[in-house]
Amino acid sequence: MLEDCGQMADEQISVKSVLSRLKIGRSVAEFDDDLEEYFVETDTFQSIVEGGHDIVAGDKGTGKTAIYRMISKNYRSYSILDDTELLAAFNPQGNPIFQRLGQIPEQSEGQYRTLWKAYFFSLAGNWVLDIFGEDYNEEVKSLAGILEKTGLRNLDPNPSLVFETIVGIFTKLKNFSAAEVTGSVTEYGLPIITSRAEFNSENKDISVVYSDVFLKSLNDALRACDIKLWILLDRLDEAFQGYQSVEIPALRALFRTYLDMTELDFVRLKLFVRKDLFRKITQGGFVNLTHINAKKVEIVWEEEDLLNMLCRRIRKNDSFLTAIAASEEASDKEIFYSLFPEQVDSGTRKPDTLTWIMARIRDGNSIRPPRNLIDLMLNAMQAQFRREERDGRVFSREDPLIESDSLRKAQKQLSADRVQDTLFAEAAGDLVPYLELFRDQKAEHNKQTIAALFGQSENEAMPTIRRLIELGFLEEIGASYKIPMLYREGLNITQGKAF
């Protein structure tokens, strides 16, 4: 009898021990070293690899950077890209290099267009010379000549150094002390040293090399080298933080540059941009927007996609699956409910746990970023781990690993985090005081209660209400406006109507 009891004790394992075997990675792609193991090659990803789309638009946390990382790391494994090389035109970490544009005199949209073309020409051109040398063939020699003539030759094709060179040239050309030519940088070309002008008491000559001409030279060189080049840009939402007056004209110019460069068959831009930023760039009219939309793909996550993404991460933990005795044939829902209770709140009219979670990671625009699900999961695991350290349980397949109370705590933490790092961070500065007015209020309002909260008439309040809807803070349902559960805990907003 004692021997049997001792054998049972040996077979017992704590919930804490089982949870310690579960690793699901990190929610931010830039910091997830195991992203490759979890990544799902969605239709969006395939359309980028196969060349059907060049612009990836998605909300924060939906996986734009993950797609960029996976393409840049694994592009050589796709036969369709055998003749293609990838070149990052930004720095993945640290302050975005494009913030430098906020520190120079503001340019017109046309001048920013020239700046972008000069940058891509210099970045890609110097990369070609770094790979092949300056005398590889006649087309490469011609490319080298233009880079030298324009002062854009960089022995180190690092994006930060190349961009700094471009900005330096533009700053210099905007500061003529005297000139026999009018203007400095046009939207057609980059002035170079050859008609007379005075730069800070130094006499030099100026002429113009047309930007489309030197981009054609780049394209010819790539064709002669039998290489197609993709130039990738991510982090555009961070590029001009603190420089609002620069953001829209600079990014509109970037998208116009994209359109101009579509006629080149050996060099292509690939842009990763947030959907709300894309709307800001194109609102008020944008010539040939239909051409851009034809090459744009939006990231969409359905509930089944999110569940599959989470379960793919769970399935990578062999020792965890062994501990919970999960079969290889187990469905995603079976895996999910091996961790969680059937319901967070008991009752015949209460939702199941998966539905409960999906309702709490969505914003007012029904956007459910994978980042929210992963962070909720990580928060719940941490909360449960702390609970097990205080009062440990023996693992049983009949009981959930992660209890309802841990999920509630996790959702509260997620809400507090998203209010700060998404809601307040993404809102324009003038919107934050309006958001704060909802703190400690009810979750459901109408025009009258919101106007009263703002101290405005209904007509005065409507423009701000529309902006809050676009931000995802308010959800319009009939004549009411509801605050999504994602943001309620973080602002101490309680269930119920304010009217």
Side-chain angles (χ1 to χ4, degrees):
M1 183 73 172
L2 289 174
E3 183 177 342
D4 291 341
C5 291
Q7 186 174 356
M8 287 179 64
D10 289 342
E11 292 175 352
Q12 289 179 343
I13 182 171
S14 69
V15 169
K16 178 181 174 182
S17 175
V18 175
L19 275 177
S20 68
R21 305 181 189 192
L22 180 58
K23 309 296 180 188
I24 63 167
R26 305 179 71 171
S27 63
V28 181
E30 293 94 318
F31 307 124
D32 195 341
D33 295 332
D34 299 320
L35 177 65
E36 191 169 357
E37 294 187 31
Y38 313 135
F39 186 76
V40 181
E41 292 191 2
T42 60
D43 291 342
T44 300
F45 178 83
Q46 291 294 340
S47 73
I48 296 296
V49 170
E50 293 168 5
H53 295 93
D54 298 324
I55 301 168
V56 181
D59 294 280
K60 185 173 182 178
T62 53
K64 299 183 303 299
T65 297
I67 292 175
Y68 158 74
R69 279 191 58 187
M70 293 305 297
I71 289 177
S72 60
K73 185 175 182 180
N74 298 320
Y75 71 97
R76 295 184 187 280
S77 64
Y78 299 96
S79 59
I80 196 171
L81 299 180
D82 283 347
D83 61 348
T84 304
E85 292 292 335
L86 271 60
L87 182 60
F90 69 103
N91 54 326
Q93 297 182 354
N95 288 332
I97 59 176
F98 304 135
Q99 285 189 354
R100 185 73 174 85
L101 290 184
Q103 301 162 12
I104 66 172
E106 290 184 18
Q107 315 282 309
S108 68
E109 188 176 312
Q111 289 168 331
Y112 282 126
R113 196 169 170 183
T114 296
L115 187 148
W116 286 118
K117 290 181 180 181
Y119 173 55
F120 297 136
F121 169 70
S122 180
L123 182 70
N126 282 290
W127 177 85
V128 169
L129 299 188
D130 187 55
I131 298 296
F132 294 97
E134 297 187 1
D135 298 320
Y136 185 73
N137 55 38
E138 289 304 315
E139 289 80 3
V140 171
K141 287 181 183 178
S142 176
L143 174 65
I146 294 177
L147 285 166
E148 290 289 350
K149 186 179 181 183
T150 54
L152 299 179
R153 180 71 172 104
N154 282 78
L155 295 179
D156 184 351
N158 179 285
S160 297
L161 296 177
V162 173
F163 195 72
E164 185 63 35
T165 297
I166 299 295
V167 171
I169 290 174
F170 270 65
T171 303
K172 187 175 184 180
L173 291 171
K174 290 289 283 187
N175 288 287
F176 290 149
S177 56
E180 295 175 5
V181 293
T182 58
S184 53
V185 179
T186 75
E187 64 180 282
Y188 304 109
L190 181 68
I192 61 169
I193 296 174
T194 64
S195 177
R196 187 171 181 76
E198 213 174 280
F199 292 91
N200 300 321
S201 301
E202 183 181 352
N203 294 333
K204 293 191 176 178
D205 291 334
I206 297 202
S207 69
V208 172
V209 170
Y210 291 97
S211 50
D212 291 337
V213 171
F214 52 63
L215 284 172
K216 183 179 182 303
S217 173
L218 169 65
N219 194 67
D220 291 343
L222 288 167
R223 181 186 294 109
C225 296
D226 197 26
I227 285 182
K228 293 180 181 177
L229 184 63
W230 287 2
I231 302 175
L232 283 66
L233 282 88
D234 192 13
R235 303 186 69 194
L236 294 176
D237 54 314
E238 306 172 44
F240 304 104
Q241 288 182 355
Y243 304 102
Q244 296 297 318
S245 61
V246 173
E247 182 178 59
I248 298 306
L251 290 179
R252 282 175 68 92
L254 173 60
F255 277 84
R256 294 197 187 283
T257 298
Y258 164 80
L259 286 173
D260 292 342
M261 292 178 63
T262 54
E263 67 180 22
L264 306 175
D265 53 354
F266 275 79
V267 59
R268 180 181 296 184
L269 297 184
K270 295 281 183 176
L271 309 178
F272 297 77
V273 63
R274 266 210 339 257
K275 283 167 61 176
D276 62 320
L277 184 56
F278 182 81
R279 286 194 297 269
K280 286 171 63 178
I281 294 168
T282 56
Q283 70 184 6
F286 194 96
V287 177
N288 290 327
L289 179 58
T290 53
H291 291 68
I292 286 181
N293 283 333
K295 302 297 287 185
K296 175 173 67 75
V297 60
E298 295 191 357
I299 302 175
V300 177
W301 287 88
E302 303 292 348
E303 181 177 310
E304 294 78 9
D305 301 325
L306 290 165
L307 177 61
N308 181 250
M309 178 273 298
L310 176 61
C311 290
R312 286 173 75 102
R313 292 177 176 236
I314 295 172
R315 292 176 198 274
K316 293 295 181 181
N317 298 266
D318 292 337
S319 62
F320 172 77
L321 296 176
T322 299
I324 66 173
S327 70
E328 293 183 3
E329 294 77 24
S331 68
D332 287 344
K333 281 198 173 182
E334 287 172 333
I335 292 291
F336 178 86
Y337 282 109
S338 68
L339 273 75
F340 298 109
E342 289 292 329
Q343 290 181 299
V344 176
D345 302 310
S346 299
T348 56
R349 303 181 71 176
K350 298 294 184 179
D352 61 42
T353 297
L354 183 59
T355 303
W356 186 94
I357 287 175
M358 292 298 167
R360 283 157 179 77
I361 65 171
R362 67 182 285 275
D363 71 2
N365 293 319
S366 295
I367 303 301
R368 293 174 294 202
R371 182 177 299 176
N372 287 357
L373 178 59
I374 297 169
D375 278 343
L376 180 70
M377 180 73 175
L378 291 170
N379 292 344
M381 290 169 61
Q382 291 169 4
Q384 190 65 46
F385 206 82
R386 290 192 296 269
R387 184 254 188 256
E388 298 301 331
E389 287 182 325
R390 294 191 303 270
D391 185 17
R393 296 176 294 154
V394 173
F395 170 68
S396 167
R397 295 188 67 189
E398 306 303 317
D399 300 318
L401 272 173
I402 298 176
E403 299 171 309
S404 296
D405 189 56
S406 294
L407 275 170
R408 294 190 195 96
K409 290 178 180 178
Q411 194 271 330
K412 185 175 182 179
Q413 181 62 52
L414 177 70
S415 181
D417 290 343
R418 291 300 173 264
V419 165
Q420 294 299 323
D421 65 25
T422 299
L423 188 63
F424 285 1
E426 307 305 328
D430 64 319
L431 274 184
V432 175
Y434 288 102
L435 291 167
E436 281 287 359
L437 291 173
F438 288 92
R439 191 181 293 275
D440 302 321
Q441 301 295 321
K442 293 292 186 179
E444 188 172 355
H445 291 262
N446 58 25
K447 283 189 290 188
Q448 292 79 17
T449 60
I450 295 177
L453 203 60
F454 292 173
Q456 299 175 341
S457 69
E458 291 180 30
N459 287 338
E460 290 172 330
M462 279 309 300
T464 302
I465 290 174
R466 291 299 172 198
R467 293 175 65 192
L468 293 176
I469 292 172
E470 185 175 312
L471 185 63
F473 178 70
L474 293 178
E475 182 178 8
E476 188 173 11
I477 303 175
S480 298
Y481 302 93
K482 282 190 176 182
I483 298 165
M485 285 182 277
L486 177 63
Y487 297 129
R488 292 183 191 179
E489 293 274 11
L491 288 170
N492 197 34
I493 292 169
T494 55
Q495 178 75 14
K497 296 178 179 180
F499 51 91

